[in-house]
Each structure stands twice: as structure tokens, then as C-alpha cells.
Amino acid sequence: MSMRIILEGNKLTKTYRRGRSEVVNAIQDVSLKVYEAEMILLYGPSGSGKSTLLNLLSGLDKPTEGEIKFMGDEISKLSEKQLTDFRRKYVGFVFQSWELIDHLTAVENVEVPLYPSEINSAELRTEAIQILRRLDLYDREHHYPGELSGGEQQRVAIARALIKTPKVIFADEPTGNLDETTGNMIMRLLKTVCRRGTSIIIATHNEQLKEYADRIIRLKDGQMGG
Amino acid sequence: MGLGRVFRRSIRFTFRSKRRFLVFLLIFAIVSTIVAFNVDSIDNLRTDELLKHKGVIVRRANNATITYGQGQALYNDILDYTEKPNSSVTLDQSMMYTFSDIDPRLRIFNLDIHNPWLADFAKPSLLDEGRYPRTANEILVPAGSLQHRSISLNNESYEVSSELAVGQMLNFKSPTGDEINLKVVGTFDGSNLGMTNPSKQLWLFMDQSKYEDMLSLFGLTQTQNARVHQLSFVVDGLILVPSTYDQVGILNQQIQTMLEDKTTYGDFRNQPDSLPAPQTKRTSKNITVFLGFTIIGGVLLSTLFAYLISRFRRREIAILKAMGYSHSSVRISLIGELLTTSFSGFFFGLFVAQLLLFDWVKFDFSTLIRLPAIGIAFLIMVVIAFPGMVLTSRRVLSVSPAEAFRDN
């Protein structure tokens, strides 16, 4: 494993206000480092702050306290527009329910992140098909999500994350809606992606995924532990 | 290139989400049809029915002879009255309609082809066939007009006649060899003119300039030969505005007073009975209210559309934003969908309305909603869609990309 730090969170705290007076500490004093081509598991029960931490590290939300650095540059103080640029250039997402767009074919779903880019449409299509084939989705390019199995849909979602060649992929319960066999297949796939140089941070409460992780960060009540 | 592609794809993908597209297409189609019908009704008021709404007509009493001098006197006095500094009536348009008998078989009438609705006896909506004259040498004839030719055969004189048809050319020659060519471009229902036996005399209706040419071709003059059959006055002001109707009432009253002097003006009668002002006023009020409701309803609809679209697509928007879509990219994608749905709805609604309005038996296109009305209705739809677009943009901006990850 390379020792180059890709992402770093220092003393991250995120508080929310619930109602008028109640303050909730979703994340409290969390620090972590993510290395290049490393797979990290954020492990914890529901409500432990995994999603909040994913939001902070991926630039979807800003910490109340602490700082986040991406390849040495602080991103926690960037403007909304700069954060959007950051996510577009460096970050890929894989969601629990795949979140594919129903009325788009598999290949169009993969292309979606790069529609606003300057890449030529023909090149984009070639690239999307190549990625789908790399993930064993031969002859499924023009199928709609409703015509694909759960495992196939999750592979399309991974292809959608990969098309931007991101530095980091954030995955939220990537096997949550899959049976065990398909879930293992998806994890092996993510592991392969990771070995090719992409760091992957997975939020899960599924203990079986631990065997794929290079490192496990346990979260409980918004704090690191275990 | 990037934003253009987002826009193009959003248009293409709109048709793919079939149920959502069809529901909104139908709603927009219904609203568009109502707007188009309304605008068409108002357009009718603006043209054909304008005289009825904001005009006053003075006609000769049944077949009375009004000399040009008498008609001109009344016409000038009414204009003088409206031009007084303290007059509460301002005129927009006016016209004196005259006719002249060229010979016992031919009578010519003047028209203002640029303001056809001023002639309630020969306005475009009375056309039976053909179209309204656009140039001075184009004329109208009452439907069923016969043209006469005298033929001498074996020293006996015969009259032959045939019906004048649209497209026919009429040639008039003066004794000195000057000639005027006129083309029949339309026939109209002449019953408003009290024509009882059109076969006795040929009546031709032409623009004022050609009318004067015809008189001069046959050595006649307005002052000596022309007779007046109608004066039309249209007051200034907008239909649908009450003060316009007040002006019509005041002018009517004034003319009524003037017409008591029959020796100066001849046997005229104004037409207060033909102007059911309260009724037309009520019609215009109804249309205003209906149009108001349509616009308010349309704005509410597009607002609802914006609300529903951003609600239906909230999660999708959050994911697009998480993937790095800027506000403008997401906004353009939603605007693409809104425009596609609303314009498709507009044209679909219009198409269905035109199919329903078309007279399939007579194959008559005049019953269709006309192009200017379609254009105005389209503009109204754009205006109606605008608040929806603004609201859609605002709602899109409020969606946080953090919603992409559900809290587990």
C-alpha cells in the first residue's frame, strides 16, 4: 500500500440544531487519514454518524469545527461552488439503493456525471461502454435499470462513479440491498478498483464487509472508538 | 458544450419518463387550449366585433336618399364635436360610406380596405367565399351578384347574365378609352344592405381610392353623384375598459340630438338598438374575468408543476449535485423538462382544439383559431410558465447534495 495521504480529517465536529434548543453532536472530535488505494470501512450502528462523516469527507457538508484536507489542500473552507468543482473532479459516489435514473439506460446513467463536461459525446459513450464491459456488463448497456438485476444495477452505479476516474469513492452501504453472494461480488469489484489506485471509503453496519477493508474505523455516538 | 448537452439530454429524457410527461402534457394542453380560445375571442373583439363594442353607426333611414352634402355635414359636425377641447369623447377611427350609380345597372360602394371592420355591412366575418381585398383593384361583391351583358343578334337585343365568381376580372372602359380592371376576390352576405333583388343592379365594393378613380372614369363627382348610406365612428380606448363604453353612450346621445335636425342632415337614424352596450359590456367583463382566472390558474399550475417536479426529482437532484453538477447544470436540466412539457402541451392542446373547431363538412379553415391569436396565446403561456421556472430554480438551489446519503 502506498503511504501517500489523499484525505485527512482533523478533529472534525458536526453539530445540528434539533428544534429550538436541542443541539445534537452528530460527529465529535473525529480525526482520520485516508491513504491512496486504501479501502476504509466506517463501521457502526445506525445513527452512529457514518453518513455525516461521509458527507463531511466528500465535501457534501461542512464541519462545525475541524479541518479537512484533500491532497494537502484544505477543502473545509471552500465555497459551495468550489466544493462542487472538487466533487466533480475528484470524488465518486456509490449509494445504497444505487440511485440510478429510471428512464435512462445503463450507459446513459454512467454518462450522466460527465454531461456538463466538455468531453465529446462520442468519446464519452465509448468510455462509458468500456467501463461497463470492464465490470462484466456486456450487452446490458442499453437496458433500463428496471430490466437489470440488483447486482447489475450496483455495477452500473460503480461504473457511474468510475467514469470520472476519481481519487476517492464514497460508498454508502453498497451491499445493503443485495443478497450475500452478489454483495461479495460487488465488494471484490470495489477491491479491484481500489488496487488500481482509487481510495474507497465505505459506510456500513454489515460486519461481513470487514474482511475486504484495509482499515476499519468504528463509530459510536459520533465518536471514534474500538 | 457541457450545458448545451445537459439541456438537449433533458429534452430527450423528458419524453422517456412517460407517466410524468403525459400527466403534465395533458394539464398544459387543457390550459393552453383555454388560453387560445380566450385570446381568439378577444382577437375577434379587436377586429370584427370592434364596431359593436366601441363604435357608433349612423345609417340612412329605409332607402332614404342622403346627398353627399348632407352626409358630409353630419360627418363633419360629429368630428367637430369630438375635437372640442372639453369633449369627453375622443375618436379613434371614422369613415363615411357612400355609393354612386354609374348607370342603372351598376352601383359602386367605397370601403376602407385597411380598416375592414369599420364597415359592419361588409366586414370580413360576413365573407361567404374568398378573402377581403388587400389592394385597391380587388373588390367584393354580394353573394349571388349577377353580371349583365347585352347581346345583339339579328337586330334583336338579349340580356344574358351569369353569377360573379371569385377570381373573375371586370373591365371598365371610358368613352375616351381609359380603363380600370377590377378583380373579384370575395363574396359576402349583403343582407345588411337591404339588397332585395341583386339581379337588377350590379353592386361592387372597392377601396376609396379605386372608387374615386371609377367616378372620374365615368365623369362623375362625389359631391354631385355620391349618396351617403352610413357613417361609422369608433371611439378611442381599449375594449374591456368601462370608460370606453361611457364614451360610446355619450356619442350616441349627442348624435341622437343632432339627428332631430332632418333638414340639414337628411333622413338619418343612428343605431342605438344595434348596440346592446350593456350586453357587450357584460361579454367583455366575462372574458376579462375568464382570462384573469386563466392566467391566475396558469400561474398556479406552473407553480404546482415546479413544486411537483422538484419534489419528484428531489433525490435525483441531490445525487446530481453530489456528483458535481453545478446549480446552473441542474437548473438547465429542469428548465429543459419544463419547457418541453409546456410547449408540447401547448401544441398538442392547440392541435386538438383546431381539429375540434375545423368545419369538416365545408372544409372551412376560417373557423380555426387564427395565427395572431395563437402567437399571443403562446406568449401568455411563456409568461405563465415564467414564475414556474423561477420557482423551480429556487427550489433546486435549496436541495442539499448531502441528501444523497440517507442517514443509516
Side-chain angles (χ1 to χ4, degrees), chain B residues 4 27 32 58 90 107 111 116 181 183 196 210 260 271 283 285 336 348 367 404-405:
Chain B
I27 295 171
S32 307
V58 186
T90 313
R107 177 175 287 183
L111 288 175
N181 290 309
K183 185 182 182 186
T196 48
K210 199 54 72 174
E260 285 166 12
Q271 304 283 305
T283 311
K285 195 177 169 186
F348 176 69
T367 53
F405 286 125

Side-chain angles (χ1 to χ4, degrees), chain B residues 260-397:
Chain B
E260 285 166 12
D261 180 4
K262 286 196 168 36
T263 48
T264 308
Y265 302 127
D267 196 3
F268 270 117
R269 60 188 163 102
N270 71 336
Q271 304 283 305
D273 297 343
S274 70
L275 295 166
Q279 194 187 325
T280 50
K281 205 170 169 176
R282 202 160 46 242
T283 311
S284 68
K285 195 177 169 186
N286 289 345
I287 289 174
T288 317
V289 170
F290 198 35
L291 190 66
F293 273 115
T294 307
I295 291 175
I296 293 168
V299 170
L300 287 177
L301 172 79
S302 66
T303 309
L304 177 73
F305 174 83
Y307 172 76
L308 289 176
I309 282 290
S310 48
R311 192 179 159 88
F312 287 155
R313 293 184 60 181
R314 193 173 183 87
R315 184 120 185 101
E316 185 185 321
I317 290 164
I319 287 167
L320 291 178
K321 282 183 155 185
M323 290 191 300
Y325 269 51
S326 63
H327 281 159
S328 33
S329 299
V330 178
R331 200 187 290 136
I332 278 182
S333 131
L334 286 179
I335 286 174
E337 178 165 356
L338 177 61
L339 290 179
T340 309
T341 315
S342 53
F343 288 168
S344 306
F346 177 81
F347 289 112
F348 176 69
L350 200 68
F351 176 69
V352 172
Q354 299 287 46
L355 282 183
L356 294 174
L357 285 171
F358 187 67
D359 188 339
W360 292 95
V361 180
K362 290 184 186 167
F363 217 73
D364 183 4
F365 287 90
S366 67
T367 53
L368 299 181
I369 299 174
R370 288 164 292 180
L371 214 56
I374 293 172
I376 293 168
F378 185 78
L379 283 179
I380 290 177
M381 286 305 289
V382 170
V383 171
I384 284 173
F386 188 73
M389 274 193 224
V390 174
L391 195 78
T392 306
S393 296
R394 286 178 63 89
R395 288 188 63 86
V396 164
L397 296 184

